Amino acid sequence: MFKNFIGGEWLDGPKVSRNINPSDTRDVIGEYAQADVAQTQAAIAAAHAAFPAWSLSTPQQRFDILDAAGTEILIRRNELGELLAREEGKTLPEAIGEVARAGYIFKFFAGEALRPGGESLPSVRPGVGVEITREALGVIGLITPWNFPIAIPAWKIAPALAYGCCVVFKPAELVPGSAWALAEILSRSGLPGGVFNLVMGRGSEVGATLLNDPRVSGISFTGSVPTGQKVAAACVGRMAKFQLEMGGKNPMIVLDDAELSVAVNCAVNSGFFSTGQRCTASSRLIVTEGIHDRFVAAMVGRMKALKVDDARKQGTDIGPVVDQSQLGQDQEYVGIAKAEGATLAFGGEHVERNPEGQPGFYMRPALITDTTPAMRINREEVFGPVVSVLRAKNYEEALQLANDTPFGLASGIATTSLKHATHFKRHAQAGMVMVNLPTAGVDYHVPFGGRKGSSYGPREQGRYAAEFFTTVKTAYTQA
Ligand code: ADP
């Protein structure tokens, strides 16, 4: 059994959960400990006890630990990628890429540990000096989703440790394997006991305990909107700091003047790769009249050639959906779109077995055309390989449709017009804007996050991560 890591020790949980391969549901990856409330509280206590010393650790100590962890992750990228693909279902190249990203994130924040910055300036009063510094926030509860089993934990854990915080990490129930492997690396990294703790288990038990414990100073959450709202309510109730990354209904505009192959590549990549299970996935393609029919025909042509199969098999373009419940949701939305009068231009079928006969949660990517802005398929996040197409008269209408959503994470445009690209970058109501690039697939050294219903609180990643994991102190000195 894979155990929880609390106060520097590996501990059995009161229960266990089985980690199942979505590419072959007969394949059990392992049994993982499930913490309860008491064990979560023990992890919080360990983190709380470790905080005073860790918050005063030297930049060199933090650099060495994070850099070594990053190096090991990068060296083991193929093996860890294999595990990730097996438990989550993204293809092996995607999984290896995600692991590498996690390694580089640790390297980036190793460097940031050496650059805490600060300001020194004269006071408005004579003989007085002012210093502005950042101090570690405290014990942070990290709650992560299943769709990026190592990158999202990395982009929360690495900055937390770099800025001197202690961590209680609760991974998503469906993907404990990558979380455990990352914890195992950190357990050998030289971190003092209690600085980093892994508590696998249920959201309603482990997660809820983190939200409500007064020793936890901040919660960094990525997941669904309803859970994000619970996180916010609990944190506001006790004045804890929180940051939320939630859903998206990301648009990609395709203008008449777009390079057709660029537009199709962007749409297929960000709509269907990683099985559409990315919060930055393009799920609404907003296409102007002059290119609409050619674009839809080219999309269907490309989609016919996409291989949906075992995530670890060479040549697979799209792995399975993560589990039965997500597959049910994806299928349900295809049905809702048809019932609302849209056309299923391609795909959408559940495929029960791959060519080798493995039972898995396979689904052909779905393209839905003839949709209107009010349809549920254009308003609600599906989180699967389901993409809708909206027709627009011109750029102005396309922009209006792109922004007509309660979300605001990523927004893309395919165009060869400098004028429209420039206007779009300024007027897209989203945290991230892409021109002639997929909306999904971002760098690891720059801020990540959105607006409106997609995100709340300071940005993650890059130097902006300091905003959440530190608190500012202004010190005055009379010489
Ligand atoms: P998804 O299943 O799409 O990833 P969720 O919001 O359900 O989205 O889950 C994201 C994370 O939040 C998971 O780690 C989950 O266990 C956790 N979680 C779910 N419910 C709660 C809750 N009530 N309190 C705290 N965390 C929760």
Side-chain angles (χ1 to χ4, degrees):
M1 202 227 309
F2 294 92
K3 300 180 182 188
N4 283 320
F5 186 63
I6 297 172
E9 285 176 50
W10 293 100
L11 300 176
D12 282 326
K15 283 183 278 179
V16 293
S17 86
R18 299 173 107 199
N19 189 358
I20 306 288
N21 176 357
S23 298
D24 185 346
T25 52
R26 301 165 302 187
D27 175 26
V28 179
I29 297 157
E31 297 203 321
Y32 290 79
Q34 291 243 292
D36 58 6
V37 170
Q39 206 170 42
T40 310
Q41 285 170 339
I44 295 169
H48 192 246
F51 179 69
W54 180 248
S55 65
L56 298 175
S57 57
T58 62
Q60 187 67 51
Q61 198 180 353
R62 297 180 204 172
F63 172 89
D64 288 342
I65 289 168
L66 294 170
D67 187 58
T71 299
E72 181 171 343
I73 293 167
L74 287 169
I75 288 171
R76 293 174 56 195
R77 69 175 83 178
N78 290 343
E79 169 213 341
L80 295 170
E82 174 97 9
L83 170 66
L84 199 162
R86 187 173 166 208
E87 73 172 347
E88 197 269 350
K90 66 182 59 172
T91 65
L92 194 54
E94 289 171 336
I96 292 170
E98 181 183 336
V99 172
R101 178 189 178 89
Y104 289 125
I105 287 169
F106 271 90
K107 295 264 178 194
F108 176 85
F109 284 107
E112 284 304 283
L114 297 174
R115 291 185 285 267
E119 289 177 66
S120 172
L121 52 163
S123 162
V124 291
R125 288 167 280 170
V128 174
V130 185
E131 289 157 48
I132 305 169
T133 51
R134 288 183 178 274
E135 294 182 2
L137 184 62
V139 174
I140 312 289
L142 305 181
I143 301 177
T144 57
W146 49 259
N147 64 329
F148 284 92
I150 198 163
I152 294 179
W155 82 52
K156 294 183 191 298
I157 294 167
L161 298 177
Y163 298 120
C165 294
C166 290
V167 167
V168 181
F169 166 41
K170 191 213 98 60
E173 291 93 318
L174 286 175
V175 290
S178 301
W180 188 91
L182 180 56
E184 198 277 327
I185 290 170
L186 290 171
S187 76
R188 292 182 282 100
S189 66
L191 279 173
V195 171
F196 169 82
N197 304 272
L198 170 74
V199 276
M200 298 174 285
R202 294 167 65 87
S204 54
E205 234 173 319
V206 176
T209 305
L210 288 173
L211 301 187
N212 294 311
D213 195 301
R215 294 169 294 185
V216 177
S217 304
I219 297 283
S220 181
F221 168 85
T222 303
S224 65
V225 172
T227 311
Q229 284 166 336
K230 284 185 197 161
V231 173
C235 289
V236 166
R238 63 182 185 85
M239 302 290 184
K241 196 170 177 182
F242 61 99
Q243 72 179 168
L244 312 174
E245 285 301 339
M246 300 167 289
K249 193 72 208 173
N250 308 298
M252 203 185 91
I253 294 176
V254 178
L255 294 186
D256 286 356
D257 63 24
E259 191 97 43
L260 187 63
S261 61
V262 169
V264 171
N265 284 342
C266 290
V268 166
N269 176 321
S270 53
F272 303 125
F273 288 178
S274 297
T275 323
Q277 297 173 153
R278 295 186 282 192
C279 44
T280 47
S282 301
S283 53
R284 292 184 300 138
L285 304 175
I286 302 166
V287 188
T288 47
E289 298 277 10
I291 196 171
H292 179 278
D293 294 355
R294 272 187 300 139
F295 174 76
V296 168
M299 283 293 288
V300 170
R302 271 293 295 281
M303 289 170 73
K304 281 183 181 156
L306 293 173
K307 276 209 178 65
V308 181
D309 206 333
D310 187 311
R312 291 182 294 164
K313 196 161 138 186
Q314 204 176 1
T316 296
D317 295 303
I318 301 177
V321 173
V322 74
D323 73 347
Q324 183 64 53
S325 141
Q326 184 62 51
L327 177 66
Q329 178 167 316
D330 299 348
Q331 294 282 301
E332 192 185 341
Y333 271 103
V334 172
I336 290 169
K338 285 198 280 189
E340 285 183 316
T343 306
L344 180 59
F346 183 82
E349 310 94 357
H350 165 41
V351 181
E352 287 184 18
R353 287 173 189 270
N354 77 344
E356 280 77 40
Q358 296 168 206
F361 306 116
Y362 300 107
M363 175 173 164
R364 285 200 207 294
L367 189 70
I368 297 170
T369 53
D370 303 317
T371 72
T372 58
M375 287 180 180
R376 285 180 63 193
I377 197 68
N378 282 321
R379 307 220 68 82
E380 299 168 19
E381 186 177 46
V382 179
F383 218 62
V386 182
V387 170
S388 59
V389 179
L390 278 154
R391 211 182 261 271
K393 281 198 285 295
N394 49 31
Y395 166 73
E396 285 70 27
E397 191 189 31
L399 175 66
Q400 182 269 319
L401 289 170
N403 288 334
D404 176 22
T405 168
F407 296 106
L409 188 57
S411 197
I413 190 166
T415 181
T416 50
S417 154
L418 179 63
K419 182 176 143 202
H420 287 139
T422 306
H423 188 272
F424 183 72
K425 280 190 280 184
R426 175 64 188 84
H427 294 277
Q429 291 165 8
M432 296 172 292
V433 183
M434 320 302 197
V435 178
N436 295 321
L437 286 166
T439 52
V442 294
D443 286 5
Y444 64 85
H445 67 308
V446 289
F448 176 95
R451 302 181 182 181
K452 301 200 270 185
S454 288
S455 306
Y456 192 95
R459 288 283 188 268
E460 299 196 76
Q461 300 190 66
R463 294 179 57 197
Y464 285 67
E467 211 51 50
F468 179 73
F469 293 102
T470 64
T471 181
V472 170
K473 180 173 276 176
T474 313
Y476 296 85
T477 310
Q478 173 78 69

